[in-house]
Amino acid sequence: MKRTRSTLHSAVQIVLLVALVTVSSVASGCSPSAKSNKAITIGYIGGFSGRAASLGIAGRDGALLAVEEANAKSGDPGAPIFTLEAVDDGVGAAAAADAVSALAGKGARAIIGPMTSASAVAAAPVADRLRIPMLSPTASTDELSGRDDYFLRIYPDNRSAAKRLVNEVLREFPAARVAVIYDLGNEAHTQSWANHFQRQLKLGGGSIESSQTFVSGDNPDYTDLAEGAAASPSDCVFLIANAIDSAMIAQRLRAAGSKLPIFASEWSATADLVSTGGAAVDGMVFLNTYDRGSRQSDFVSMSEAFRTRFGYDPGFAAVHAYGMTSMLVRTLSAHPDSQDLRSELLTGQLSTTIQGTTKFDRFGDVALPYYVMTIEDGQFTRLDDR
Amino acid sequence: MKRTNFRTTLTWILLLLALVPITVVGAYSAVRLAQIQREAVGFRNGLIAQTAAGDVESFLEAPVVALSQFKLVDPDSATAREMLRSSASSIPFIESILLVDADGKVRAAAVSPDHKMRERDLVGLDRTRDPQFMSARSTRKVSWSGVFTSMFSGRRCIQVAVPLDYGIGIAVVNIESLNAHTWAARIEPDAKIIIVDRNGQMLFHTDRELAALRPNWRNREPIAQAMAGRLGASRYRSDGLEMLGSTAVVAGSGWIVLAEQDWRDASRPIGEVYRGVASVVVIVALLAILTAALFARRLGGPIDDLSLYAMRVGEGDYAASRTVQRYREFEELSDGIGAMAQAVEEREGQLVTSRSKLVEAVAELERSNKELQQFAYVASHDLQEPLRMVTSYVQLLQKRYKGKLDSDADDFIEYAADGAIRMQRMILDLLEYSRVQAKGSAPKCVEAAVAVESAVASLGHSIKESGADVAWSELPLVKADTGQLSRLFQNLIGNAIKFRREGITPEVSISAVRTGDMWEISVADNGIGIDPGNTGEVFDVFRRFESPADYPGTGIGLAVSRRIVERHGGTIRVESELGIGSTFLFTLPAVCAEPDAGPEVV
């Protein structure tokens, strides 16, 4: 009987072992592998729907490329792994404010965005309250300039841009008379732009001969706008509108027989301007905050990588989002556990953009160089290096 | 030899018999099922992807068809304007239609009712730098743009340019209605369907929240493969998950449709099979153990009974009780052991009886032998004195009355005297023979050569007289009664000299060889030899084969020699050939350690 028990006992052990191995091998297929790298979340706020979707998607793609490159280059086992958590604020500026709270709730250490001035103005107070740095690649509103807050940006404010563009206008037309057309659909951006332009022009001896507004996407009468400008005693036309609206106004202006030179803000300067504007946009002058024809190696490699990754050429939104996100991941890599990331970003931290180096001022604003551009035979070309 | 346990072996065999087939069959089934499931999921995904691609293609074909109807219509005509308005208002996903002449100038336009744009703003526009216009004009083929966000509707749109007779028809198509398209609801619950444009930007995903973020999946493995022209099913990792996906391309637009499924979901049936197989293996194993235990008990119980029974029989308990066996084979085995026990018991009884008789016989023989020895000794010893007296008086009669009586009396007295002397001689020999056993000294280790030398010294006269050559090689140390060993050699050497051939110088050679535990010592001569037929009787007491007249002696020497050898635990034999010589070979135990040899048992 003793032998029987011993045999039974060993056999049961064997079966339990077989069962354990079987169950373990079945279960092991479901086990996630452990990661040792610290995960850092970066938030992104931009419009993926609505009329600003192109800007939001391009900015997100630029930020994503910077994050992916940072993760790919990180060979150190202890180096942080970055993830980009994106939120759509395309439905309105209020969505941007909610997005800041949502991203903070998800543990985002900093936020890239928003991409529009209206959203930035709405979101900045929330970022201040939650003490989360918010770095906008494209917001230009003056309302957030010179404030010691958590809103940092790489894009120059409208005042400096207006001053620079007025110089170009006055260089061409001393005591210029200008017909202004701008879009109130993006009033946070365009209104201050128009105001600064008018102020700078007046200071330079010029004048606004006509000022017309429209709301993009709300049945604008491009023909009326163009004919109104053409009928004014102006030397040139200044547009503050998106690429399609600018192209449409330029087309209607030329259709009305006007040959008035056209100036525009950087907002217009996308490929859509050329494809929709046809020959009507040739000669249009505008400012760019990046040199799209730069042969600088960092820019060329970024452009190539962006094109490979996303299948289209990077515009100013993508370029600035990429540069700002790169700076952010460098800072977070150097100070992954910093309790005062804003100070790390501002104090003594040289921020390297893809087209040079610059620094935030104490308010988290920067002064990027401007590039005066025009269109010749459908191609963007630099005007200021001739 | 290490013995294995029958029950353990039986249990193992039963376990293996049960587990190996079920494990092999189960493993094969699981692997095969996984393969089939993978193929089935791949096939299903492929079907979903192709169906979706076909549906999307049909969707995108609609504006092409709508534009194609303007192929022959004059763009400046009222008919054209009417048709444009009709198309723009009746086809819900068309935002705007432009009829452009070959120079790129918009000749006629219509927008959908909810489109926030005026038709008059569109007429006259220059489209020469519109990529779709340029492509369609140069290739005369339909050209699709990438996906863009309409500035007028805020919706995602694509633009299609279709060659017409007089120019190009261009339509802006809202693709967001794709999200509500019916095929999106036809897919399997676990499967996901993704559509990306030709740049990789997501147009549709079953997960609407993910699609709303419009991620770019250009670098996702199946999408990248499809963009490189490699369509079909693949297995890949995505966001840390293993996925099975199939891709198809939407003709014309270059969009890619991916139908994918989390391998965990797809393999859930396989996991259930794995778990089922594992459960069956465990259950079968447990059943096998139980069966083995029961079987071992059924088999092992009778074996234990029989083993115990055999053990008791072995211990002499032939009347031990035995259990009635359930199985015929065991009952027969039990009967066999019982019969064997009975036979052994009977034979053991016979053996006891035989042994008892044997012991009695041996005792009787020993007693008889002892008495005989005593008798022989006593007889030979005690007979000497009266015989000496008879001999003396017969010799005295012969001396005093020889020639005084008649001649017959002289002869009779002479015969009596010779007989008495011969009898005296025989009695002395018999006494010597009996003394070998009765008066021998305790054996001790002696040099055999020393005994030989002693014998040669005793035979010095005969050797000298006969000129015999006695030689011996190196002889061993043997355990023997020195005197008897010397006497043995003396008898054998003496016989060699006595039974020499006429005219031949006797040569005696003594040597020894080791044969197992014994030394075999040989004494070889070149004498007259012995008829091989008589060699068996040559060691008998008073056995002679030659005439006493030719070779005096009683014939006791070789009998004494055999008795000496046997007393020392050896044997003696002779090899001989008439006219050639004889060799006497006797053995003695090799129990004395040689001085220069290794350790030897003494």
Side-chain angles (χ1 to χ4, degrees):
Chain A
M1 189 53 74
K2 206 172 197 174
R3 281 181 190 168
T4 306
R5 276 188 191 148
S6 170
T7 306
L8 196 64
H9 183 68
S10 60
V12 168
Q13 281 183 327
I14 292 162
V15 171
L16 288 175
L17 189 65
V18 169
L20 186 65
V21 169
T22 308
V23 170
S24 301
S25 58
V26 169
S28 63
C30 305
S31 305
S33 57
K35 288 182 179 178
S36 58
N37 300 73
K38 179 182 176 71
I40 295 180
T41 300
I42 296 173
Y44 175 85
I45 299 174
F48 305 132
S49 56
R51 292 180 178 81
S54 297
L55 199 68
I57 291 171
R60 191 270 317 276
D61 289 349
L64 185 61
L65 181 66
V67 164
E68 289 177 350
E69 285 184 352
N71 289 337
K73 287 176 184 170
S74 174
D76 183 357
I81 297 293
F82 296 99
T83 54
L84 190 73
E85 186 76 31
V87 178
D88 179 16
D89 72 344
V91 293
D98 294 339
V100 177
S101 299
L103 289 171
K106 290 179 179 178
R109 298 289 309 280
I111 293 169
I112 301 295
M115 301 298 284
T116 64
S117 293
S119 291
V121 170
V126 184
D128 288 344
R129 181 166 52 80
L130 297 175
R131 305 171 73 83
I132 179 168
M134 194 167 70
L135 298 81
S136 174
T138 52
S140 62
T141 179
D142 299 316
E143 291 185 45
L144 300 174
S145 297
R147 287 167 49 170
D148 188 12
D149 57 8
Y150 277 78
F151 177 76
L152 288 70
R153 63 174 163 196
I154 201 169
Y155 203 81
D157 62 17
N158 294 333
R159 189 187 64 80
S160 61
K163 185 177 179 182
R164 182 73 175 86
L165 187 63
V166 165
N167 288 341
E168 289 301 315
V169 173
L170 293 175
R171 188 200 311 265
E172 191 77 18
F173 303 102
R177 296 168 299 168
V178 181
V180 178
I181 303 173
Y182 60 100
D183 173 19
L184 288 180
N186 187 12
E187 191 175 0
H189 172 68
T190 58
Q191 188 62 64
S192 69
W193 234 113
N195 293 342
H196 285 298
F197 185 87
Q198 184 173 5
R199 192 174 301 122
Q200 293 298 327
L201 188 66
K202 194 172 181 181
L203 287 173
S207 62
I208 301 296
E209 292 301 320
S210 76
S211 180
Q212 301 179 84
T213 61
F214 67 98
V215 177
S216 180
D218 191 20
N219 206 14
D221 191 334
Y222 298 117
T223 304
D224 275 358
L225 291 169
E227 288 176 354
S232 70
S234 301
D235 301 314
C236 61
V237 177
F238 173 53
L239 302 177
I240 314 173
N242 65 43
I244 299 294
D245 290 332
S246 299
M248 290 299 294
I249 292 168
Q251 286 251 26
R252 298 324 305 179
L253 195 63
R254 299 297 177 242
S258 171
K259 294 183 179 177
L260 288 174
I262 303 171
F263 292 81
S265 70
E266 188 173 30
W267 188 19
S268 311
T270 70
D272 288 339
L273 180 69
V274 176
S275 61
T276 308
V281 297
D282 277 353
M284 182 183 282
V285 176
F286 46 87
L287 298 178
N288 261 14
T289 49
Y290 78 108
D291 180 4
R292 66 174 70 220
S294 170
R295 302 312 304 164
Q296 196 172 340
S297 61
D298 284 350
F299 179 73
V300 171
S301 61
M302 178 269 171
S303 297
E304 182 59 35
F306 189 92
R307 201 175 298 112
T308 302
R309 173 67 179 84
F310 301 108
Y312 63 97
D313 290 325
F316 71 96
V319 168
H320 293 324
Y322 175 86
M324 210 154 197
T325 309
S326 297
M327 180 203 64
L328 177 61
V329 296
R330 278 199 304 274
T331 306
L332 282 169
S333 296
H335 310 282
D337 300 314
S338 173
Q339 297 299 308
D340 190 3
L341 183 60
R342 177 180 177 277
S343 297
E344 303 293 352
L345 289 165
L346 293 180
T347 55
Q349 175 68 41
L350 188 67
S351 305
T352 304
T353 69
I354 60 169
Q355 289 195 327
T357 58
T358 186
K359 290 175 71 173
F360 287 114
D361 64 16
R362 63 191 179 91
F363 301 117
D365 301 327
V366 295
L368 283 179
Y370 290 106
Y371 305 91
V372 183
M373 308 291 293
T374 190
I375 297 172
E376 286 183 352
D377 295 329
Q379 301 297 319
F380 289 98
T381 56
R382 283 273 296 274
L383 198 59
D384 54 357
D385 62 350
R386 293 178 179 174
Chain B
M1 180 182 172
K2 189 179 178 183
R3 302 286 177 189
T4 55
N5 184 288
F6 169 72
R7 292 186 190 207
T8 305
T9 306
L10 185 64
T11 304
W12 270 110
I13 290 171
L14 288 173
L15 265 177
L16 288 175
L17 283 175
L19 287 180
V20 168
I22 194 76
T23 305
V24 169
V25 170
Y28 174 78
S29 302
V31 170
R32 183 76 186 117
L33 189 71
Q35 190 180 355
I36 291 170
Q37 178 70 5
R38 201 171 292 125
E39 289 171 359
V41 171
F43 179 77
R44 190 182 61 180
N45 286 342
L47 204 60
I48 291 170
Q50 285 171 7
T51 304
D55 287 347
V56 173
E57 192 178 334
S58 299
F59 174 84
L60 296 178
E61 192 63 26
V64 176
V65 173
L67 285 172
S68 297
Q69 65 182 332
F70 295 97
K71 203 172 180 71
L72 302 173
V73 178
D74 178 3
D76 298 324
S77 67
T79 306
R81 286 194 293 276
E82 186 58 35
M83 285 175 64
L84 280 172
R85 288 198 188 92
S86 172
S87 297
S89 59
S90 62
I91 304 175
F93 48 83
I94 289 184
E95 288 205 344
S96 64
I97 301 178
L98 306 177
L99 299 182
V100 187
D101 64 21
D103 295 329
K105 186 176 182 181
V106 178
R107 302 285 290 276
V111 296
S112 63
D114 60 342
H115 196 277
K116 303 294 178 59
M117 199 166 182
R118 300 165 193 273
E119 290 172 2
R120 69 165 184 161
D121 288 337
L122 296 172
V123 176
L125 287 179
D126 172 18
R127 303 296 293 193
T128 51
R129 289 176 184 169
D130 182 331
Q132 274 62 60
F133 171 81
M134 291 190 285
S135 172
R137 186 175 64 175
S138 62
T139 64
R140 302 302 297 170
K141 289 181 180 175
V142 175
S143 174
W144 296 91
S145 73
V147 177
F148 60 92
T149 301
S150 168
M151 291 292 179
F152 305 104
S153 65
R155 296 179 184 135
R156 279 181 296 169
C157 296
I158 56 170
Q159 181 175 281
V160 59
V162 178
L164 305 174
D165 281 358
Y166 50 84
I168 304 295
I170 297 175
V172 174
V173 181
N174 163 26
I175 61 166
E176 293 195 351
S177 59
L178 273 175
N179 286 349
H181 214 258
T182 51
W183 48 259
R186 291 210 303 266
I187 59 176
E188 298 290 329
D190 292 336
K192 296 171 186 169
I193 193 158
I194 297 103
I195 304 175
V196 298
D197 69 11
R198 58 193 182 197
N199 285 336
Q201 190 171 108
M202 188 178 290
L203 302 176
F204 176 82
H205 194 292
T206 312
D207 179 352
R208 300 294 175 86
E209 290 185 7
L210 178 59
L213 296 176
R214 301 190 191 177
N216 191 306
W217 276 24
R218 187 183 178 87
N219 61 348
R220 297 271 172 149
E221 187 182 328
I223 302 292
Q225 294 287 333
M227 285 183 166
R230 291 184 287 273
L231 299 169
S234 61
R235 192 170 165 184
Y236 51 92
R237 294 196 73 78
S238 177
D239 294 332
L241 299 176
E242 189 171 5
M243 309 292 286
L244 273 182
S246 293
T247 51
V249 69
V250 179
S253 66
W255 296 357
I256 291 161
V257 179
L258 167 66
E260 69 175 12
Q261 191 169 7
D262 188 340
W263 176 240
R264 288 179 306 177
D265 296 330
S267 63
R268 193 167 291 130
I270 300 168
E272 288 169 4
V273 170
Y274 282 156
R275 283 187 285 279
V277 168
S279 303
V280 168
V281 168
V282 171
I283 289 169
V284 167
L286 289 172
L287 286 174
I289 289 171
L290 287 173
T291 307
L294 290 173
F295 203 60
R297 194 170 180 176
R298 282 283 175 87
L299 285 180
I303 289 172
D304 283 348
D305 290 344
L306 291 172
S307 176
L308 185 64
Y309 176 55
M311 199 181 298
R312 291 179 65 183
V313 167
E315 289 168 354
D317 184 6
Y318 302 114
S321 61
R322 54 191 172 98
T323 310
V324 176
Q325 297 298 328
R326 178 174 181 168
Y327 300 107
R328 184 167 49 81
E329 289 82 356
F330 286 118
E331 186 59 28
E332 287 174 358
L333 182 59
S334 178
D335 290 345
I337 295 173
M340 188 173 67
Q342 192 176 351
V344 169
E345 185 178 19
E346 286 174 4
R347 285 176 194 172
E348 193 174 73
Q350 291 171 358
L351 195 63
V352 168
T353 305
S354 300
R355 189 195 293 164
S356 176
K357 288 178 180 174
L358 188 63
V359 167
E360 287 174 6
V362 167
E364 181 59 27
L365 279 174
E366 284 176 347
R367 187 185 60 75
S368 173
N369 191 41
K370 202 171 181 180
E371 285 178 359
L372 192 61
Q373 285 180 10
Q374 187 66 22
F375 169 75
Y377 179 78
V378 169
S380 57
H381 182 269
D382 292 354
L383 282 174
Q384 277 192 92
E385 187 54 35
L387 186 58
R388 193 179 299 121
M389 190 180 292
V390 169
T391 304
S392 298
Y393 280 106
V394 170
Q395 285 177 334
L396 188 62
L397 277 176
Q398 192 179 32
K399 190 176 179 182
R400 283 190 183 178
Y401 296 101
K402 186 171 183 179
K404 292 179 181 177
L405 301 175
D406 56 21
S407 58
D408 289 339
D410 287 345
D411 290 339
F412 292 159
I413 292 170
E414 188 177 351
Y415 292 153
D418 288 345
I421 289 168
R422 193 151 49 89
M423 179 178 277
Q424 193 175 27
R425 179 75 252 164
M426 290 176 73
I427 285 172
L428 285 173
D429 288 347
L430 201 58
L431 184 61
E432 183 189 1
Y433 181 79
S434 63
R435 276 179 173 164
V436 169
Q437 202 69 29
K439 298 294 182 181
S441 302
K444 58 183 180 181
C445 290
V446 296
E447 296 275 0
V450 172
V452 172
E453 287 168 1
S454 174
V456 169
S458 299
L459 295 168
H461 179 71
S462 301
I463 293 170
K464 188 176 181 182
E465 185 185 56
S466 63
D469 178 15
V470 180
W472 61 94
S473 59
E474 190 176 348
L475 296 175
L477 200 63
V478 294
K479 191 174 185 181
D481 178 338
T482 309
Q484 289 186 352
L485 185 60
S486 179
R487 181 63 187 170
L488 174 61
F489 281 117
Q490 194 176 329
N491 286 349
L492 297 177
I493 296 168
N495 277 352
I497 295 170
K498 183 165 63 175
F499 295 102
R500 65 180 178 271
R501 278 182 283 166
E502 189 68 35
I504 302 296
T505 302
E507 291 178 356
V508 182
S509 174
I510 305 166
S511 61
V513 294
R514 179 76 177 258
T515 55
D517 296 335
M518 309 295 280
W519 283 109
E520 186 176 73
I521 300 172
S522 62
V523 180
D525 63 50
N526 60 345
I528 60 173
I530 304 166
D531 185 347
N534 297 329
T535 54
E537 301 169 21
V538 77
F539 297 103
D540 291 349
V541 178
F542 300 135
R543 188 76 172 106
R544 294 177 55 91
F545 297 103
E546 306 299 336
S547 167
D550 298 332
Y551 299 96
T554 61
I556 196 73
L558 288 179
V560 169
S561 297
R562 183 173 69 177
R563 199 168 177 85
I564 290 170
V565 171
E566 288 177 348
R567 183 187 168 229
H568 286 80
T571 59
I572 188 167
R573 61 190 172 92
V574 61
E575 295 173 354
S576 185
E577 195 173 345
L578 278 174
I580 299 299
S582 303
T583 299
F584 288 86
L585 302 107
F586 64 91
T587 61
L588 293 174
V591 293
C592 294
E594 292 294 326
D596 56 347
E600 190 98 32
V601 178
V602 177

